[in-house]
């Protein structure tokens, strides 16, 4: 492999030597130096990374004419592009933990909390911190196994993808040294000096003769009649100020934008839950035995919403500028309340799911949302939303549209009420349902027909089998 580079260097030195005129015996011949870092063989193998050479003349000037040096640069095709490596120290022991890519539409987040502290041992891909974004909470994983040496960022800082937040020592030596220095007791000589060193004397203040002070009566504050009527505010020590989370601020912004954008109108209906609850009671054990998941009421309303959206496709549409986009698919968003805020995971392709698949997907997404492990992709999109406030005891409400969708269905609690059935007054488990829709796109007739279809399917689930 040295053949090509050696011949080039020899030719380079010959050119320099020929350009220098003859001089005295004391003159020193030019010497050429080469520093190759990688070589190329005669077969033009692209293995050369960098190479340079130079010529030097020692002593005084060797001639009246300036020396002319000719060199040929390396051909560009032999150069390799720059390479990347993980952040580390010169010894390769320290590795930086950085904020990962958080999603296509997320540019930054808040460093919510550190899960590890300096001195803690971590494994590869073990979460060491949590980043709170507008939509989800993202974990920052450790790139290497080792020990947390130090934390670079602070909780509450705004961080972007690529921001360094911690330094990890793969051997843990740096942390051990720091901890030993911090915990080292003071030397006996230092303690002795501290004990023997006397404190500086305190000069007594010279006594001054007391002078009689004239008695001045302080004026009494003017009485105000309005002070008695002013409200007495509670003391500030009984209040707590807590900053809003990124998720809560994002939800607040989207809901307010929804009110400012849509012409929202809500229509109501009531559903007799007798048949759906009987169906659930009769087959709950066999359903769990076969599918491994409980049969809930939500799957019945999801199937009812799917058929209603197919019968009234305008409810599944959306306004885009001056156009209306009609969707030939149904992605149902299920609103889930979590301790950190409201999230809306999506059942994709819900029109192709049966009862068991719907129940499994709902349980899986709800668990992820509660644990804070749900991803952005699992919440993106959605053509229609269902919100079940009945699980918290809500009797009636007007839900707000989830942008950019055009409608949302609100479910409520089941209450036994007296109903007239066949001319007789009998108790029935009843539920109020509400549909909030964008009146710019959806007329009242389509909204009422939509709720009537859900009412018919839930009150008589056999309609799903016969498609009537």
């Amino acid at each position: 492999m040295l053949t090509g580079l050696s011949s080039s260097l020899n030719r380079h030195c010959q050119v320099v030597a020929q350009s220098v005129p003859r001089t005295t015996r004391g003159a020193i011949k030019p010497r050429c130096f080469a520093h190759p870092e990688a070589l190329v063989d005669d077969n033009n193998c692209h293995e050369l990374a960098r190479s340079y050479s130079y010529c030097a003349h020692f002593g005084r000037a060797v001639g009246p004419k300036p020396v002319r040096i000719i060199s040929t640069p390396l051909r560009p095709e032999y150069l390799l592009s720059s390479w990347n490596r993980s952040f580390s120290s010169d010894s390769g022991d320290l590795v930086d933990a950085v904020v990962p890519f958080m999603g296509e539409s997320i540019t930054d987040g808040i460093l919510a909390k550190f899960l590890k502290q300096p001195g803690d041992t971590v494994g590869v891909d073990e979460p060491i911190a949590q980043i709170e974004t507008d939509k989800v909470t993202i974990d920052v994983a450790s790139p290497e196994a080792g020990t947390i040496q130090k934390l670079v960022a602070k909780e509450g800082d705004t961080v972007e993808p690529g921001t360094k937040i911690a330094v990890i020592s793969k051997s843990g030596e740096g942390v051990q040294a720091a901890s030993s220095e911090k915990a080292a007791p003071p030397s006996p000589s230092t303690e002795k000096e501290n004990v023997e060193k006397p404190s500086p004397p305190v000069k007594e203040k010279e006594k001054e003769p007391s002078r009689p002070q004239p008695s001045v009566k302080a004026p009494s504050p003017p009485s105000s009649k309005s002070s008695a009527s002013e409200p007495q505010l509670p003391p500030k020590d009984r209040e707590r100020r807590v900053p809003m989370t990124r998720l809560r601020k994002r939800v607040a912004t989207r809901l307010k934008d929804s009110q400012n954008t849509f012409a929202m109108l809500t229509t109501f209906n009531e559903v007799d839950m007798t048949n759906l609850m009987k169906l659930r009671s009769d087959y709950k054990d066999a359903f769990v035995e076969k599918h491994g998941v409980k049969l809930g009421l939500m799957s019945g309303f999801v199937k009812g919403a799917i058929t209603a959206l197919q019968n009234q496709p305008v409810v599944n549409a959306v306004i885009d500028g001056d156009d209306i986009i009609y969707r030939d698919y149904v992605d149902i968003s299920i609103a889930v309340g979590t301790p950190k805020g409201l999230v809306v995971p999506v059942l994709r392709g819900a029109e192709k799911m049966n009862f068991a698949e719907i129940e499994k997907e709902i349980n899986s997404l709800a668990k992820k949302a509660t644990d804070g492990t749900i991803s952005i992709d699992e919440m993106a999109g959605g053509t229609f939303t269902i919100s079940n406030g009945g699980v918290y005891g809500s009797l009636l409400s007007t839900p707000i549209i989830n942008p950019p969708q055009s409608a949302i269905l609100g479910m409520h609690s089941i209450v036994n009420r007296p109903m007239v059935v066949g001319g007789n007054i009998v108790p029935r488990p009843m539920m109020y349902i509400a549909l909030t829709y964008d009146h710019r796109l959806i007329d009242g007739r389509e909204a009422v027909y939509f709720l009537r279809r859900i009412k018919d399917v839930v009150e008589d689930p056999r309609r799903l089998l016969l498609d009537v």
Side-chain angles (χ1 to χ4, degrees), residues 6 48 91 95 101 145 169 174 176 203 251 299 370 376 426 451 465:
S6 299
L48 182 60
S91 62
V95 180
F101 176 71
S169 174
Q176 294 176 1
K203 296 182 179 181
V251 170
S299 56
T370 304
I376 298 176
V426 295
L451 279 188
L465 299 176

Side-chain angles (χ1 to χ4, degrees), residues 37 49-50 80-85:
E37 292 189 10
R50 295 180 299 273
L80 295 177
S81 60
S82 61
W83 61 90
N84 297 325
R85 63 190 180 99

Side-chain angles (χ1 to χ4, degrees), residues 58 206 410 426 463:
F58 301 95
E206 297 180 357
V426 295
R463 289 177 175 269

Side-chain angles (χ1 to χ4, degrees), residues 345-411:
V346 181
L347 299 176
R348 303 197 183 279
E351 74 278 6
K352 303 176 183 178
M353 295 182 179
N354 55 27
F355 278 82
E357 293 171 341
I358 291 175
E359 291 291 349
K360 289 179 181 179
E361 190 69 11
I362 290 177
N363 290 342
S364 175
L365 293 174
K367 185 176 185 303
K368 290 182 179 180
T370 304
D371 297 341
T373 59
I374 191 168
S375 65
I376 298 176
D377 294 337
E378 291 173 321
M379 297 189 296
T383 61
F384 182 78
T385 299
I386 298 179
S387 176
N388 186 9
V391 296
Y392 307 111
S394 173
L395 180 63
L396 192 63
S397 67
T398 56
I400 299 178
I401 298 174
N402 178 27
Q405 300 172 12
S406 300
I408 179 173
L409 175 68
M411 299 170 52

Side-chain angles (χ1 to χ4, degrees), residues 124-173:
V124 180
D125 295 333
E126 183 178 357
I128 62 176
Q130 289 184 342
I131 306 297
E132 189 177 83
T133 67
D134 298 340
K135 299 179 180 179
V136 294
T137 300
I138 299 174
D139 291 335
V140 179
S142 173
E144 297 286 347
T147 306
I148 302 293
Q149 188 191 56
K150 64 178 179 178
L151 304 179
V152 179
K154 299 179 181 179
E155 294 183 356
D157 290 351
T158 300
V159 293
E160 299 178 353
T163 303
K164 181 172 69 173
I165 65 170
V167 178
I168 300 172
S169 174
K170 291 186 286 186
S171 62
E173 296 178 356

Side-chain angles (χ1 to χ4, degrees), residues 266-273 276 297-298 300-302 304-305 308 384 386-390 394-399 408-414 417 429-437 447-459:
T266 305
T267 183
F268 303 91
N269 212 320
E270 58 182 357
V271 180
D272 188 349
M273 301 292 295
L276 185 60
L297 300 178
M298 179 61 76
F301 278 90
V302 171
F384 182 78
I386 298 179
S387 176
N388 186 9
S394 173
L395 180 63
L396 192 63
S397 67
T398 56
I408 179 173
L409 175 68
M411 299 170 52
H412 301 91
S413 59
I414 302 173
R417 296 201 302 271
M430 303 298 295
M431 174 193 291
Y432 288 120
I433 56 176
L435 178 72
T436 300
Y437 57 96
V448 173
Y449 283 167
F450 182 89
L451 279 188
R452 284 297 305 269
R453 178 61 183 174
I454 294 180
K455 174 181 173 66
D456 294 339
V457 170
V458 173
E459 290 184 346

